[in-house]
Amino acid sequence: MGFGALLPALLVLLLSVTPSVISCPPSDRAALLAFKSALTEPYLGIFNTWTGTDCCHNWYGVSCDPTNSRVADINLRGESEDPIFERAHRSGYMTGHISQEVCKLDHLSNLVLADWKGISGEIPPCITSLPFLRILDLVGNQISGPIPSDIGKLKHLTVLNVADNQISGRIPNSLPNIAGLMHLDLSNNRITGELPQNFGKLKMLSRALLSRNQISGEIPSSIAGMSRLADLDLSENHISGSIPAKIGRMPVLSSLNLDCNRISGGIPASLLDGAGLNILNLSRNAFDGNIPDVFGPRSYFMELDLAYNHLKGPIPRSITSAAYIGHLDLSYNHLCGQIPAGAPFDHLEASSFVSNDCLCGQPLRQC
């Protein structure tokens, strides 16, 4: 038989195998269906699209790598502007748990299962075996149990968000080994124990949000070496000790929230003299001593809250030389003396100064 006679047969063979090349492998499809079977979504019907043999096309929230047709993304958000939510006139609600079968998707890059309110159970420990995982976003559920102890194996992880769950246990000592981590949100959980002393190894981290937990111990001094950290929130924990002075010299730190802890000692001058902070909340702690008189033209605070501490002495006169102070709260301390005249004091109300030992002047009583 000549080549011309073989050509039609070859075309038929190519056409018959092409669909299997571009569709997801059966093993990925089986893993997705097992993942689906552990979850119940009663209102939107998003899983009704998970039918047919090709999970790379028209399966809601599933995307594949075009080079190998392996499942790369699961992106399911319970709060979205997608038309399926608009038609239902409601946000999403989902119950069940995260099946360990998801770990068989060994090319998974993004796992987003966020804001479904009712998903419970634990984070499958095998999640740390996914070699390409970059984003793990499980915010806004009822997930409990610990963060997997070997989370540090996820060398490509850039986002870890498990906020607004019921996560317990300690922050794993392996966490600072994730060299490329840029966004960490563990807020509003039940996490206990101390921050790892080598937390500062996270050199790429820009946001560390750990508020509303039960974290104890002192602020690790290694944090001061995080050159890309812009937002540090440790509020509403059980943090004690003093603030490492070098934190005020971090190059891009703009927001520092340490309110509602047990931090003591003096306020480092480096936090107030204009190094870059524009939100500083130290309220409801045990700070003592005088407020450092170091404000200057580079001091720019949208919020400066020092209320409910044990601060004493006068309000620093240098504060009038600050470039801008929007919200200022010095109430419930032991401050004494005359409130300086001029900005920012000319737009503040009495509530910013009440319950001190002997402050006087506008907007309080005359001296």
Side-chain angles (χ1 to χ4, degrees):
M1 183 183 294
F3 181 76
L6 281 173
L7 189 58
L10 287 170
L11 287 173
V12 170
L13 181 62
L14 284 171
L15 289 172
S16 67
V17 301
T18 298
S20 65
V21 171
I22 63 171
S23 64
C24 68
S27 58
D28 280 10
R29 179 178 178 273
L32 284 173
L33 291 176
F35 173 80
K36 166 190 170 182
S37 68
L39 299 166
T40 301
E41 190 282 291
Y43 299 113
L44 303 173
I46 62 171
F47 287 134
N48 294 341
T49 65
W50 288 29
T51 59
T53 58
D54 184 7
C55 57
C56 290
H57 297 94
N58 302 317
W59 283 40
Y60 186 91
V62 177
S63 302
C64 295
D65 185 333
T67 63
N68 57 23
S69 299
R70 297 298 306 276
V71 172
D73 301 334
I74 300 175
N75 192 340
L76 299 173
R77 294 189 180 275
E79 295 179 1
S80 172
E81 296 181 359
D82 189 279
I84 197 171
F85 291 82
E86 293 182 2
R87 287 193 297 268
H89 302 291
R90 61 166 296 138
S91 59
Y93 181 75
M94 192 184 293
T95 57
H97 67 278
I98 304 171
S99 169
Q100 64 180 6
E101 295 295 304
V102 76
C103 302
K104 293 182 178 178
L105 299 168
D106 56 11
H107 278 65
L108 199 63
S109 175
N110 300 335
L111 176 56
V112 178
L113 195 60
D115 296 314
W116 291 102
K117 307 174 185 69
I119 296 174
S120 56
E122 298 189 0
I123 301 171
C126 63
I127 210 85
T128 63
S129 68
L130 294 173
F132 304 110
L133 196 64
R134 294 178 58 252
I135 295 175
L136 180 59
D137 186 349
L138 307 175
V139 63
N141 290 292
Q142 296 183 30
I143 297 169
S144 58
I147 298 169
S149 61
D150 57 349
I151 191 79
K153 288 169 58 179
L154 295 173
K155 299 300 184 184
H156 297 288
L157 201 67
T158 60
V159 174
L160 175 59
N161 187 353
V162 295
D164 302 325
N165 279 285
Q166 299 174 19
I167 303 292
S168 59
R170 303 172 66 93
I171 297 172
N173 286 327
S174 70
L175 181 72
N177 294 331
I178 309 175
L181 193 66
M182 293 188 282
H183 179 96
L184 175 66
D185 194 346
L186 310 180
S187 56
N188 196 26
N189 278 287
R190 301 172 180 175
I191 296 169
T192 55
E194 300 181 3
L195 288 170
Q197 285 301 305
N198 61 344
F199 194 81
K201 282 179 63 179
L202 296 167
K203 298 297 185 184
M204 300 297 290
L205 199 64
S206 62
R207 304 191 77 199
L209 310 178
L210 301 106
S211 65
R212 289 170 290 160
N213 280 288
Q214 299 163 34
I215 299 169
S216 57
E218 299 187 9
I219 300 172
S221 59
S222 65
I223 285 179
M226 301 171 72
S227 59
R228 299 194 179 201
L229 191 65
D231 188 356
L232 176 60
D233 191 346
L234 291 168
S235 61
E236 297 184 54
N237 277 288
H238 304 321
I239 305 290
S240 58
S242 58
I243 300 178
K246 290 183 179 179
I247 284 183
R249 294 288 175 251
M250 294 173 67
V252 298
L253 188 67
S254 62
S255 177
L256 178 62
N257 290 285
L258 301 176
D259 47 298
C260 301
N261 277 289
R262 302 168 183 174
I263 305 171
S264 57
I267 297 174
S270 58
L271 297 180
L272 303 175
D273 64 4
L277 276 174
N278 54 56
I279 294 176
L280 178 61
N281 192 338
L282 304 181
S283 65
R284 299 178 187 273
N285 277 285
F287 291 103
D288 56 20
N290 290 13
I291 301 172
D293 193 7
V294 293
F295 294 86
R298 295 192 308 150
S299 302
Y300 188 102
F301 289 97
M302 291 185 290
E303 177 184 347
L304 177 57
D305 195 339
L306 308 179
Y308 290 91
N309 279 289
H310 307 309
L311 300 170
K312 61 184 182 180
I315 296 174
R317 294 204 172 273
S318 64
I319 203 169
T320 60
S321 66
Y324 176 78
I325 295 182
H327 172 76
L328 174 67
D329 195 344
L330 303 176
S331 62
Y332 294 90
N333 278 287
H334 300 291
L335 301 174
C336 195
Q338 185 169 1
I339 297 172
F345 303 98
D346 50 9
H347 72 262
L348 296 174
E349 298 182 359
S351 58
S352 294
F353 307 101
V354 297
S355 295
N356 276 284
D357 287 1
C358 49
L359 283 180
C360 59
Q362 289 294 328
L364 300 181
R365 61 178 175 80
Q366 290 186 352
C367 293

